[in-house]
Amino acid sequence: MCTESLIERLSRDLRPVRPRSILREAALLLLLGVVEVAAFLSMGFMRPDMPAAMEAPSFWWKLTSLGLIAVLGAGVAILSIDPVRSPRRGLRRILGCIAAIFASGWIIDAAQGGLENLLIRLNWTQGLQCVWKMVALSIPPAIALGLVIRHGAPTDRGGTALAAGLSSAAWGAFVFVFACPSDDPLYIAVWYTVGCTIVTVVGRAILLRLSRW
Amino acid sequence: MAPMVNPKAGDAPGGNRDRMMAAAQAGDADVYRALLAELAPWLRRYYLRRLPPAMTEDAVQDVLLAVHEKRHTYDPTRPFGPWLAAIARYKWIDRLRSLKSEPTEPLDENIGVPDHEEAVVTGSTFHQLLAELKAPQAEAIRLVKLEGYSVEEASSATGQSISLIKVNIHRGLMRLASIIRKAGDVH
């Protein structure tokens, strides 16, 4: 087909479109987050000792850390599906944020004393259950972010897919915090990292394919 | 996050493309037709400097289709030029990547066309980019992807093994895409 014919065909089939709105997309993702937390808790998954857990600094450490990564990742993903914006600077900030989270977790852990009984603290059977639940909870945000990315026009697809994968992983982990029975920073650092890494790597690979345009 | 393209890129003298694109988003087909007709020559010039000539028209059409499919991502409060330039650049990198997987058909020795490609390619941005690669990579890409030699012929001509020719093409094109991504727009 010659270029002139293509122009003719494209303009003949023209339909009005609504320019994308970052605020609308962010609001929809926020709504999904609220719905997912509400649905998860209403299914009876909330840990029974929640009032006591809320007294522990490590509970707030994991909740705010994961929420921050989820919000930052989703923000970077949404902004970077604009062709003129790159996700790289935002991704660097997320990585800095993750490093700060690990450092603060180490301080909390040091305050609780020693690394004795390492295997007991890691509790691998419970840890693997945590991992699969985190992965399952990250699927809805990954699908939602995939739809947002499909709708947009990211020009750094690898970076955008990575930001969305990170956000989905942290999002799933954030929701799981309400059910997670452990507040041990070592346990959280190990098993949350495993779960988030799986979701980030697999999510990036899938979202990278979805983002092609 | 900072814009990653030159804000002047894509602008034409006397163009009021911001308003034309906004009108196109609202469904004005005549304005849209005029806008696309204005963009085509600019895109043609853009790709003539950046791609082998045989790929230029496909790339132009690819961008026009992308503009059409992604027109809702244009923000009418911002200039149209950088938005278009970002899409053109993205499609340029995409084209370079696709060279890796495209089968290369050796040209018929009796094909009767004037030999002007070398002159065009020599002055192009694409050729300047090839100079950024290691010599064996640039040589493999030039022979197989630009001049139409088979991998076997390129192997004989350069002394590189067939596997090495393939590896050098793959790595060279990956490197080119990486250079373009890091450098921003190239003029």
Side-chain angles (χ1 to χ4, degrees):
Chain A
M1 179 186 284
C2 76
T3 303
E4 286 67 30
S5 305
L6 177 69
I7 291 172
E8 185 56 38
R9 191 175 60 103
L10 294 178
S11 47
R12 194 175 56 237
D13 298 339
L14 186 68
R15 298 278 177 276
V17 290
R18 186 167 59 167
R20 70 177 282 257
S21 157
I22 290 173
L23 285 179
R24 187 170 59 233
E25 287 166 357
L28 285 173
L29 287 174
L30 185 65
L31 180 66
L32 174 68
V34 172
V35 168
E36 189 177 6
V37 171
F40 186 60
L41 297 183
S42 67
M43 283 189 280
F45 283 108
M46 188 191 291
R47 56 190 291 180
D49 61 340
M50 182 59 92
M54 289 171 70
E55 302 287 325
S58 54
F59 173 83
W60 294 106
W61 168 68
K62 60 182 174 178
L63 192 72
T64 52
S65 302
L66 295 165
L68 187 64
I69 296 173
V71 169
L72 279 176
V76 171
I78 288 176
L79 288 174
S80 68
I81 60 173
D82 181 333
V84 299
R85 295 200 180 275
S86 164
R88 297 286 156 180
R89 193 187 299 174
L91 282 170
R92 280 195 291 271
R93 285 181 184 163
I94 294 174
L95 292 178
C97 187
I98 292 171
I101 287 165
F102 274 106
S104 57
W106 179 78
I107 292 168
I108 293 172
D109 188 54
Q112 290 177 349
L115 281 178
E116 294 173 7
N117 304 320
L118 184 65
L119 289 175
I120 296 171
R121 286 176 66 189
L122 282 179
N123 192 353
W124 69 271
T125 48
Q126 183 180 288
L128 289 178
Q129 286 181 31
C130 288
V131 167
W132 97 255
K133 284 176 185 166
M134 272 185 269
V135 171
L137 286 165
S138 68
I139 292 172
I143 292 171
L145 284 164
L147 291 172
V148 170
I149 290 173
R150 276 298 292 169
H151 189 61
T155 48
D156 185 346
R157 296 189 300 118
T160 301
L162 179 59
L166 267 171
S167 176
S168 305
W171 184 324
F174 172 83
V175 176
F176 180 65
V177 165
F178 293 100
C180 179
S182 175
D183 292 315
D184 185 340
L186 178 70
Y187 177 94
I188 294 163
V190 171
W191 292 114
Y192 279 51
T193 300
V194 171
C196 287
T197 303
I198 291 171
V199 174
T200 302
V201 171
V202 176
R204 183 192 178 277
I206 295 171
L207 292 170
L208 184 63
R209 288 183 173 275
L210 273 181
S211 64
R212 192 174 179 83
W213 56 282
Chain B
M1 287 185 293
M4 59 183 186
V5 292
N6 183 333
K8 297 282 185 195
D11 283 338
N16 58 349
R17 294 174 180 170
D18 308 359
R19 273 172 290 163
M20 292 172 85
M21 190 62 192
Q25 285 181 323
D28 190 329
D30 291 335
V31 172
Y32 188 50
R33 188 181 297 108
L35 175 66
L36 295 184
E38 264 189 40
L39 298 185
W42 183 85
L43 289 168
R44 217 166 270 130
R45 285 196 301 276
Y46 181 94
Y47 285 119
L48 270 173
R49 295 169 54 206
R50 291 165 170 82
L51 288 172
M55 298 174 75
T56 304
E57 208 56 30
D58 280 352
V60 170
Q61 295 191 8
D62 209 11
V63 173
L64 292 177
L65 278 169
V67 166
H68 183 73
E69 285 169 8
K70 299 296 179 183
R71 62 192 187 281
H72 62 277
T73 67
Y74 169 65
D75 179 353
T77 63
R78 297 213 309 254
F80 175 74
W83 182 80
L84 174 70
I87 292 177
R89 181 169 161 272
Y90 168 72
K91 289 295 179 184
W92 176 30
I93 295 171
D94 212 32
R95 283 271 149 192
L96 289 179
R97 286 203 181 110
S98 75
L99 280 172
K100 278 185 296 186
S101 52
E102 277 178 10
T104 307
E105 298 286 337
L107 293 175
D108 185 342
E109 286 182 9
N110 298 320
I111 192 166
V113 291
D115 182 20
H116 66 281
E117 181 166 314
E118 184 67 23
V120 173
V121 171
T122 301
S124 72
T125 304
F126 186 72
H127 197 73
Q128 290 167 25
L129 282 170
L130 282 182
E132 301 275 324
L133 302 181
K134 290 177 183 169
Q137 292 175 347
E139 189 70 354
I141 291 171
R142 189 178 61 77
L143 288 172
V144 177
K145 296 296 178 184
L146 297 184
E147 298 183 5
Y149 289 98
S150 68
V151 171
E152 291 76 14
E153 288 167 335
S155 169
S156 308
T158 60
Q160 300 177 37
S161 68
I162 289 175
S163 314
L164 190 56
I165 287 281
K166 290 177 180 172
V167 167
N168 276 332
I169 289 172
H170 175 80
R171 289 186 178 162
L173 291 171
M174 292 276 284
R175 172 93 182 113
L176 277 182
S178 168
I179 290 169
I180 296 165
R181 225 181 16 251
K182 284 179 185 162
D185 205 11
V186 181
H187 297 283

